């Protein structure tokens, strides 16, 4: 699939999907969108143009590419395999790309369903958060056939800084689990380090200056140390979403035999943050469960 103008459907115009679909319009593609809350789809059309459909099937009819970015496994199954799902209307040879973070199980299931319908399929969860979606700098982890990846790459480059084909169906989702496992451990370490610095009555700005250029540096340190020190958490990737993602990883570990003691512990810590009313706060709010 070349870089010519394509008929593209985007299902899910929320915090991530809305900006991603917007980049596709800017790239010159013909967009039709669907969102379960029609007002969000209409607002997207008012901003970017294109058209809004009443059902996923209506949105997907005659599309060259159908992309999804919804909430969870059940949402994804509904918009693809439901009575008014996109798969009922997609033409043979079309491309389906899912950007939702979901289980590897449903990614493999959708791959099988798509293959039976003559549709190319790619599971392609993203990393980079809302800012990455808005700036078109997302990192995309892809699972599926090489043919599907090569077809999707020219489309995804509208909102991606990095795209990697990991392997077969489900490999993109399991790689996203790797990503979240790593982030969880880093944030717990960063939280403990910050509280230790504060307990030692150190100037946290000077501490950051000293350690952020060495082996302790991470994206989380560079982007969250300062806001954590100021107790600012009303932005970014929500604790609720992180718990969903860690739950997927822990479920998959029960299948593949991996041992995830730190991820399991941090998941419990995030449950405490949720219980305290912090479910919609940024994941860096993990630090709030530690006394100053």
């Amino acid at each position: 699939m070349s870089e010519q103008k394509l008929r593209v459907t985007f299902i899910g115009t929320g915090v991530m999907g809305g900006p991603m679909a917007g980049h596709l319009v800017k790239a010159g593609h013909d967009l039709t969108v669907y969102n379960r809350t029609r007002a969000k789809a209409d607002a997207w059309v008012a901003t970017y143009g294109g058209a809004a459909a009443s059902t996923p099937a209506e949105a997907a009819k005659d599309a060259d590419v159908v992309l999804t970015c919804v909430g969870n496994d059940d949402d994804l199954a509904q918009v693809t395999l439901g009575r008014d799902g996109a798969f009922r209307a997609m033409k043979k040879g079309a491309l389906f790309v899912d950007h939702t973070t979901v289980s590897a199980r449903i990614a493999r299931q959708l791959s099988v369903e798509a293959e039976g319908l003559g549709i190319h399929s790619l599971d392609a969860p993203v990393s980079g958060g809302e800012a990455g979606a808005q700036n078109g700098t997302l990192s995309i982890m892809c699972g599926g056939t090489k043919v599907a990846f090569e077809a999707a790459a020219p489309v995804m480059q509208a909102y991606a800084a990095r795209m990697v084909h990991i392997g077969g169906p489900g490999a993109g989702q399991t790689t996203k689990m790797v990503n979240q496992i790593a982030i969880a451990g880093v944030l717990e370490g960063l939280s403990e380090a910050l509280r230790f610095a504060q307990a030692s009555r150190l100037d946290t700005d000077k501490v950051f200056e000293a350690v952020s250029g060495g082996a302790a540096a991470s994206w989380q340190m560079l982007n969250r140390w300062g806001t954590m020190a100021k107790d600012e958490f009303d932005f970014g990737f929500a604790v609720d979403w992180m718990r969903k993602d860690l739950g997927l990883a822990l479920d998959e570990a029960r299948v593949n035999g991996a041992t995830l003691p730190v991820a399991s512990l941090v998941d419990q810590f995030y449950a405490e943050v949720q219980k305290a009313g912090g479910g919609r706060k940024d994941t860096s709010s993990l630090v709030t469960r530690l006394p100053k």
Side-chain angles (χ1 to χ4, degrees):
M1 197 171 289
S2 66
E3 296 182 38
Q4 79 271 20
K5 181 176 181 179
L6 299 170
R7 291 174 63 97
V8 179
T9 294
F10 207 107
I11 297 173
T13 55
V15 171
M16 298 294 291
M20 292 162 71
H23 286 297
L24 291 169
V25 172
K26 295 173 185 176
H29 299 300
D30 182 7
L31 263 289
T32 298
V33 299
Y34 169 80
N35 196 84
R36 184 167 51 186
T37 303
R38 179 60 187 255
K40 288 186 177 181
D42 290 339
W44 185 92
V45 170
T47 300
Y48 296 102
S54 298
T55 67
E58 179 187 326
K61 185 179 179 182
D62 298 324
D64 300 305
V65 185
V66 174
L67 305 106
T68 51
C69 189
V70 291
N72 54 38
D73 283 30
D74 290 342
D75 296 332
L76 182 58
Q78 182 180 15
V79 300
T80 53
L81 305 177
R83 187 169 68 177
D84 295 318
F87 278 21
R88 289 182 175 270
M90 289 179 69
K91 62 186 181 183
K92 286 188 177 181
L95 172 66
F96 170 70
V97 179
D98 176 42
H99 289 309
T100 317
T101 297
V102 289
S103 69
R105 177 196 58 77
I106 195 169
R108 298 182 189 111
Q109 178 188 353
L110 290 179
S111 177
V112 171
E113 297 281 355
E115 184 177 7
L117 295 169
I119 300 168
H120 300 293
S121 176
L122 198 72
D123 54 281
V126 303
S127 181
E130 183 178 354
Q134 291 174 342
N135 297 327
T137 57
L138 293 169
S139 177
I140 308 181
M141 300 148 262
C142 303
T145 66
K146 184 178 180 182
V147 170
F149 175 74
E150 291 179 346
V155 179
M156 298 188 299
Q157 69 181 6
Y159 44 79
R162 177 177 299 185
M163 301 170 283
V164 181
H165 182 215
I166 308 297
Q173 294 298 343
T174 49
T175 301
K176 179 60 182 287
M177 295 172 200
V178 171
N179 188 78
Q180 304 305 74
I181 291 166
I183 289 173
V186 168
L187 277 170
E188 176 59 21
L190 190 62
S191 296
E192 294 179 16
L194 176 62
R195 286 293 190 252
F196 181 86
Q198 291 171 331
S200 301
R201 291 176 166 52
L202 298 175
D203 182 325
T204 56
D205 290 339
K206 291 293 185 181
V207 171
F208 174 82
E209 182 181 355
V211 304
S212 62
S218 66
W219 187 96
Q220 298 295 337
M221 175 176 282
L222 296 175
N223 291 276
R224 295 292 184 262
W225 176 276
T227 51
M228 289 166 72
K230 297 175 184 176
D231 293 321
E232 296 175 355
F233 309 108
D234 293 328
F235 57 88
F237 189 70
V239 168
D240 288 343
W241 300 339
M242 185 58 150
R243 284 219 70 206
K244 183 203 78 170
D245 292 357
L246 288 176
L248 293 170
L250 294 168
D251 286 345
E252 188 68 17
R254 295 183 187 100
V255 175
N256 67 23
T259 303
L260 304 177
V262 174
S264 180
L265 187 60
V266 174
D267 181 54
Q268 295 175 43
F269 293 163
Y270 274 126
E272 295 178 19
V273 177
Q274 281 181 317
K275 189 175 181 180
R280 303 304 296 176
K281 293 182 178 179
D282 182 70
T283 49
S284 60
S285 63
L286 185 65
V287 72
T288 61
R289 59 170 299 279
L290 297 174
K292 288 187 178 181

